[in-house]
Amino acid sequence: MTAEVMTLGRLLDGRFRFRLTCFQRAYAWQTSHVGRLLENIREAMRRRRPYQLGFLTFVERAGGPDAAIIDGHQRIMTLTILFAVLRDLEIDLEVKERLAALITKPSRGRSRPGELVLQPQPILAEFMADLVQRPGATLRDPVINEHELSETERNILENRDYLITALSDEEMHPDERRELSQYLLDHCRVVLRTMDDEVEAWRTLETEEATRVDFNACSRAKASIMSSLPVADREACGCMWEECEHLVGADDMHALLAFVRTLKLRHRSKKPVETEIWEHAGLENGAAAFFASEMLPAARRLKALREGVVGSGEAGERLGQRLQRIGWVQLDFWIPAAMHWLTVRGEDDAETEMFFARLERLVWIARIANLETPKQEKRTLALLTHIDK
C-alpha cells in the first residue's frame, strides 16, 4: 500500500481511469449529501482554506491506467456530476476545456481519445454518459419515464438537477462559479491509498467498516459548528451542546437544530442545517449567547413536548394526553409552532389548551391526508406567522 496527498486537479489529470467493481455498492448519495458537500466546500473557499475530502482507496492494474475504486465511490461519482455541471454552465472556452478534460480524456499519454475518466458498471454506463458525462449532457432532459428509473439512476438525476439549480446564474455569478472550479482543482485534496490486490483491499475496507462508529448527522453538525467557532468560545459552547444533547438525546439533536433554524429563518431550505445556523445565528461573534439564549431553551421545550409535560394541574394532564396522541402520528412538522407558542404565550395562557387541541387535529389530518413534507413545512411557517400576529 502507498499513500499520497493530492489535489483533485492532479487526481483527475489522466493518470487514472476509474472503474467500479462488482463488489461496489450502489450510488446512494442524495441531494442532502450533495448540498452539504457543496456548502462545506464554498465555506472553505470563502475562508481561503484548503478543503480535505478524506481518504480514497484504489487498486491499480499493472501496466495500465485502470484503477478500481474500493473506497470513495460516492465522492468520485458526485465529483464527476459536479464537474460536468460546471463544464456545461461555463462560457469561457479555456476553463470549459479544462473541466471537460476531467471527465473525458483528450488524446494524450496513456488515455485514448474520448475515453471517459469514470467507467461505471455496464448497466449504468449509457445512462451516466448520456445525462452527465458527454458535453452538454447535464442540460439535457431525460427521455424516460421517471417511474422506470432505478434508485441509483434517480439519485444521479436528482443530484445533477440540484447542482444545476444551485450553480446556475440565478444562484451564483459566473465569476464565482469559475472561482469555485479553480478552487476545486487546486485546493481540494484527498489522501489516495493505492493497493495492488483487490481482494486484500476489500478486506481492509471491511475491517475499517466493522470497527468504526458511524459519523451520523448530529456528529457532522457538531464537528462543523464547533470547528468553525473562535477558540475562546469552544469549551463553553461545547458544554452547552452536551447539555442540549443530554436533554433531547443524540438522535433528536440534529432535529433540534432544524427546529431552531425554522424559527430563525422562517423559510424552507435544502442547505445543510449547520451551514445555515452558522450563517444566520451570528456564531462568529456571539456563539455563547446563541447557545444560552436559543439552543438550551429550545432543548428544554423539545424535551417537554416529547415527554408530554406541559402546564400543570388538570389542564396539564389534558395537554399531556394531547401530546401523547400527537406523538403516535410520528410527524414533527408541528414542533416549531408548539415551541414558538410556548415561548410567546406560555404554558398557562388562557388559549394554550385550545391551541394544542387544534394542533392535534391538524397533525392527524396531515397524516390521514398523507400531506407531503413541503406542504407540512409551509403549514408550519404559516402557523408561526399567525402566532406572531
Side-chain angles (χ1 to χ4, degrees):
M1 179 192 292
T2 61
E4 183 180 2
V5 179
M6 61 174 63
T7 63
L8 290 183
R10 188 153 172 251
L11 177 71
L12 302 170
D13 67 0
R15 71 183 63 201
F16 299 115
R17 182 178 62 198
F18 307 115
R19 63 179 177 86
L20 301 180
T21 70
C22 59
F23 295 93
Q24 193 57 256
R25 69 191 77 176
Y27 179 61
W29 271 29
Q30 299 176 339
T31 54
S32 59
H33 304 98
V34 175
R36 179 176 289 108
L37 176 66
L38 181 61
E39 288 303 316
N40 287 348
I41 290 172
R42 292 183 67 185
E43 179 62 24
M45 183 176 75
R46 284 192 289 268
R47 293 167 176 268
R48 301 186 183 279
R49 295 176 179 172
Y51 187 75
Q52 312 296 340
L53 273 160
F55 288 90
L56 304 177
T57 303
F58 297 159
V59 171
E60 277 194 277
R61 280 185 177 176
D66 276 4
I69 302 173
I70 305 300
D71 188 21
H73 163 221
Q74 308 292 325
R75 282 165 290 166
I76 292 290
M77 181 75 84
T78 302
L79 289 169
T80 298
I81 299 170
L82 174 57
F83 281 125
V85 169
L86 288 168
R87 172 203 63 195
D88 291 343
L89 292 175
E90 184 56 60
I91 57 174
D92 184 295
L93 291 180
E94 185 177 343
V95 178
K96 194 179 188 77
E97 287 179 4
R98 188 181 181 195
L99 291 168
L102 305 173
I103 301 161
T104 306
K105 288 301 155 197
S107 179
R108 65 176 187 180
R110 295 179 295 182
S111 299
R112 297 186 295 273
E115 190 173 62
L116 294 172
V117 174
L118 176 64
Q119 306 277 336
Q121 295 98 332
I123 195 171
L124 192 62
E126 185 59 29
F127 180 89
M128 185 71 178
D130 192 46
L131 294 176
V132 174
Q133 291 168 301
R134 292 179 183 133
T138 66
L139 305 179
R140 186 178 303 128
D141 289 329
V143 185
I144 190 171
N145 188 329
E146 281 196 31
H147 298 293
E148 297 176 358
L149 296 175
S150 68
E151 185 176 353
T152 294
E153 290 170 336
R154 189 175 295 110
N155 288 337
I156 290 171
L157 195 57
E158 289 178 355
N159 291 343
R160 183 200 76 162
D161 292 346
Y162 172 86
L163 287 169
I164 290 171
T165 301
L167 300 173
S168 64
D169 291 353
E170 291 79 10
E171 296 292 330
M172 184 182 293
H173 191 275
D175 289 342
E176 185 184 357
R177 194 165 58 231
R178 201 164 293 129
E179 182 185 0
L180 175 64
S181 299
Q182 196 68 44
Y183 177 85
L184 283 164
L185 291 172
D186 298 337
H187 299 287
C188 287
R189 302 168 181 168
V190 296
V191 179
L192 178 61
R193 298 185 298 189
T194 307
M195 302 179 71
D196 58 10
D197 186 311
E198 195 165 310
V199 173
E200 188 60 33
W202 280 105
R203 286 174 179 162
T204 301
L205 178 62
E206 184 180 27
T207 300
E208 291 176 353
E209 294 283 351
T211 56
R212 68 184 173 193
V213 177
D214 287 341
F215 201 57
N216 58 25
C218 176
S219 301
R220 280 195 299 270
K222 182 179 182 181
S224 177
I225 291 172
M226 292 300 163
S227 64
S228 300
L229 293 178
V231 175
D233 292 339
R234 287 177 187 169
E235 184 174 353
C237 292
C239 289
M240 284 187 277
W241 179 289
E242 294 296 333
E243 187 175 349
C244 290
E245 194 168 323
H246 176 75
L247 287 167
V248 303
D251 291 341
D252 239 358
M253 191 63 192
H254 193 261
L256 176 66
L257 288 171
F259 299 149
V260 171
R261 173 177 65 177
T262 298
L263 290 167
K264 288 191 72 66
L265 270 62
R266 303 296 182 90
H267 67 71
R268 297 177 59 241
S269 176
K270 286 189 175 183
K271 287 186 177 181
V273 63
E274 59 268 25
T275 299
E276 291 203 312
I277 290 289
W278 175 261
E279 289 176 354
H280 298 281
L283 297 189
E284 195 163 3
N285 299 310
F290 168 74
F291 274 92
S293 65
E294 299 197 45
M295 287 296 293
L296 273 171
R300 294 185 185 110
R301 290 187 196 101
L302 179 57
K303 176 180 172 65
L305 291 169
R306 292 290 197 212
E307 295 179 353
V309 182
V310 176
S312 56
E314 292 183 2
E317 289 182 12
R318 289 193 295 271
L319 284 174
Q321 291 170 359
R322 292 194 184 282
L323 288 168
Q324 183 183 42
R325 290 194 293 267
I326 293 174
W328 294 342
V329 181
Q330 296 184 333
L331 294 178
D332 280 352
F333 75 93
W334 59 276
I335 289 178
M339 293 169 71
H340 192 46
W341 177 274
L342 293 175
T343 301
V344 173
R345 302 291 290 269
E347 297 179 350
D348 300 321
D349 186 271
E351 295 186 346
T352 291
E353 192 171 352
M354 178 61 74
F355 171 82
F356 277 93
R358 293 178 174 178
L359 193 63
E360 179 187 358
R361 289 200 290 271
L362 174 64
V363 173
W364 275 96
I365 289 169
R367 180 59 178 160
I368 292 168
N370 198 24
L371 201 65
E372 296 173 347
T373 299
K375 291 184 178 179
Q376 294 175 21
E377 293 170 347
K378 288 178 181 177
R379 183 53 57 92
T380 298
L381 297 175
L383 278 171
L384 295 175
T385 300
H386 285 305
I387 292 170
D388 288 337
K389 291 177 179 180

